[in-house]
Amino acid sequence: MSQQARGFALRAAVLEVSTGGPVTERSVKHIAIYGKGGIGKSTTTSNISAALAEAGRRVIQVGCDPKADSTTILRGGEDLPTVLDTLREQGKVRLEDISALGFGGVLCIESGGPVPGVGCAGRGISTAVDLLHELEVFEQFQPDVVLYDVLGDVVCGGFAVPIRDGIADRAFVVTSSDFMAIFAANNLFKAVSKYAPSGGARLGGIIANNLQAPYARSLVDDFAGRTGTRVVGYVPRSMAVAQGELYGRTVIESSPHSEQAEIYRRLARAVVDDETTTLPRPLNGPALKSWAKEWGDRIFVEDSQLVEAGGGV
Ligand code: ADP
Ligand code: MG
């Protein structure tokens, strides 16, 4: 779609709802999805958005990762100009310059990042969200849900912006059973437990993604138990995801009748409709290391038993 056509379609979508009268922003659910780079945040968030849109919800997805590819599979693999790049280039920015309607009418926005090596990505997220308020995007589009897809493996205060500065009410973390992903989840728990008591977001729970190894689910469950958190959904590693990505589509769009699509629909309901939250109890460094070692030993024992029985982990 041309830039101009995109602008018209977007304005029409905004106008269509702008007659419904203003909504208070508190009735809108603002949800942040965190996780280590490459763990599946954008894939999971986009499939949640697509599942919600398919069910008739109005959704905005804001990519808060300098990689700026959060919403790609909602828009046939197309790139979107980022808020920060557009601000740097144009000064004055209109909604249609920095957004596009994706699958099911999801409003897609990418905050982008600072010039590499200069500036702070967290400040970039604040700048982008401030601009959305200035453009009255939330009042005009009247979303039911706003999903923020946030890179969370960098131990940097900037990435805490969405949970610290009142942008999101609830945060979820995507993790696999890999230690580095668990380590990043534990860091998010540290940030949530620090900021939640003074009004920051609380934790909705863990989204266990890319599950494949036979021990993966028990490992993530055990981590949740140790940290006083809960797992809200289990997403297996799936070829449907990989194939959808090649076509620039979510599983909801490319394989709507698959088991994986059903899993994302259930996950979307769990994330959005169940408002249960917890205050996590992150593990300290030595406790996390000794927990990891316990699991290393367990996997080794399971592996030996499986090998003896002619299988393999
Ligand atoms: P992030 O946003 O956390 O950096 P992405 O969502 O871009 O990660 O996912 C990284 C890669 O992992 C992509 O190629 C994506 O298709 C793949 N992926 C994510 N979740 C799954 C899954 N459940 N099954 C198969 N591949 C997955
Ligand atoms: Mg991403």
Side-chain angles (χ1 to χ4, degrees):
M1 202 189 282
S2 72
Q3 173 87 354
Q4 198 187 26
R6 203 153 50 82
F8 287 142
L10 190 60
R11 234 190 292 268
V14 167
L15 279 174
E16 189 190 301
V17 294
S18 62
T19 47
V23 282
T24 60
E25 269 186 36
R26 282 297 91 193
S27 65
V28 183
K29 300 183 186 211
H30 290 266
I31 297 168
I33 312 276
Y34 276 80
K36 172 190 169 300
I39 203 60
K41 295 178 296 296
S42 302
T43 307
T44 310
T45 309
S46 299
N47 274 287
I48 292 175
S49 289
L52 293 170
E54 181 192 60
R57 309 273 192 105
R58 296 188 65 80
V59 185
I60 301 181
Q61 181 167 325
V62 186
C64 300
D65 184 329
K67 226 176 353 144
D69 62 353
S70 171
T71 60
T72 314
I73 56 170
L74 287 166
R75 295 175 298 94
E78 294 289 312
D79 282 340
L80 184 64
T82 72
V83 174
L84 290 190
D85 281 348
T86 313
L87 270 174
R88 272 192 292 267
E89 283 156 21
Q90 292 181 200
K92 186 155 173 53
V93 176
R94 296 162 310 161
L95 179 59
E96 53 264 42
D97 299 331
I98 48 128
S99 64
L101 290 170
F103 174 80
V106 175
L107 186 66
C108 302
I109 295 166
E110 301 280 353
S111 75
V115 175
V118 186
C120 159
R123 207 165 306 137
I125 299 172
S126 300
T127 307
V129 173
D130 286 349
L131 182 75
L132 300 185
H133 283 284
E134 236 170 76
L135 296 174
E136 300 186 333
V137 174
F138 302 123
E139 288 82 356
Q140 293 203 40
F141 190 77
Q142 294 195 7
D144 301 304
V145 185
V146 185
L147 293 168
Y148 301 87
D149 167 9
V150 196
L151 177 65
D153 57 345
V154 183
V155 190
C156 152
F159 286 97
V161 161
I163 54 163
R164 192 189 63 197
D165 295 355
I167 294 174
D169 311 310
R170 286 184 290 144
F172 290 81
V173 66
V174 179
T175 185
S176 66
S177 59
D178 291 347
F179 183 66
M180 280 301 124
I182 295 274
F183 181 82
N186 194 57
N187 277 341
L188 174 72
F189 295 172
K190 288 182 183 169
V192 170
S193 63
K194 180 174 166 61
Y195 295 118
S198 52
R202 287 176 63 93
L203 190 82
I206 296 173
I207 299 168
N209 185 41
N210 247 329
L211 301 181
Q212 193 172 31
Y215 59 85
R217 189 172 167 146
S218 330
L219 185 149
V220 179
D221 281 344
D222 188 40
F223 174 65
R226 301 282 178 114
T227 51
T229 60
R230 64 189 188 126
V231 182
V232 297
Y234 301 90
V235 184
R237 182 163 183 80
S238 145
M239 291 249 297
V241 171
Q243 192 188 26
E245 184 181 34
L246 295 172
Y247 291 123
R249 293 190 199 142
T250 59
V251 174
I252 299 291
E253 185 180 11
S254 63
S255 312
H257 305 296
S258 62
E259 175 54 23
Q260 190 79 3
E262 259 323 298
I263 288 168
Y264 284 126
R265 290 185 189 108
R266 277 201 298 275
L267 179 65
R269 289 194 289 272
V271 165
V272 172
D273 297 332
D274 179 352
E275 299 199 352
T276 309
T277 57
T278 54
L279 200 54
R281 296 188 305 270
L283 300 175
N284 63 28
L288 186 62
K289 284 218 172 92
S290 85
W291 174 83
K293 189 172 173 310
E294 260 172 51
W295 269 96
D297 295 345
R298 248 167 103 168
I299 292 166
F300 180 72
V301 171
E302 275 179 34
D303 190 23
S304 324
Q305 284 167 351
L306 277 170
V307 170
E308 272 166 28
V313 170

